């Protein structure tokens, strides 16, 4: 039984996916990557806890590189002033 099962009601699905213990809420200011979300999922499975992850932005590799280039430009302009 799991979230992908077509049979059964919502009550049975909720009971089968309930995690033990308190929820862990993680918020990342500045962006979170897919690999960081995957790590949160793996921690959830490993410790049988519900991990909720949120962020100001979802970073793709392209977005991450673009933001690093902008930061480099900003730091370069500040250093030359």
């Amino acid at each position: 039984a799991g979230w992908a099962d077509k049979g059964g009601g919502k009550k049975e699905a909720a009971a089968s996916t309930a995690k033990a213990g308190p929820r862990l809420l993680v918020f990342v200011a500045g962006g979170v990557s897919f690999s960081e979300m995957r790590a949160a999922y793996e921690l959830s499975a490993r410790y049988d806890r519900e991990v909720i992850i949120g962020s100001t932005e979802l970073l793709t590799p392209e977005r991450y590189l673009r933001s690093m280039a902008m930061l480099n430009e900003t730091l370069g302009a500040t250093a030359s002033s």
Side-chain angles (χ1 to χ4, degrees):
W3 66 270
D5 288 345
K6 298 287 184 197
K10 291 181 182 179
K11 196 177 239 183
E12 291 85 10
S16 68
T17 60
K19 302 288 183 178
R23 292 181 179 119
L24 177 61
L25 177 62
V26 179
F27 186 82
V28 181
V32 66
S33 68
F34 289 108
S35 62
E36 290 165 333
M37 288 191 302
R38 176 66 183 187
Y41 169 79
E42 290 172 357
L43 285 173
S44 174
R46 182 176 186 174
Y47 294 106
D48 195 32
R49 297 288 170 96
E50 186 176 6
V51 178
I52 302 167
I53 188 165
S55 180
T56 55
E57 185 177 4
L58 179 58
L59 294 175
T60 62
E62 181 182 330
R63 271 189 168 167
Y64 176 76
L65 291 174
R66 202 174 334 141
S67 66
M68 290 296 104
M70 287 174 41
L71 180 62
N72 188 36
E73 289 172 11
T74 304
L75 291 176
T78 305
S80 63
S81 298

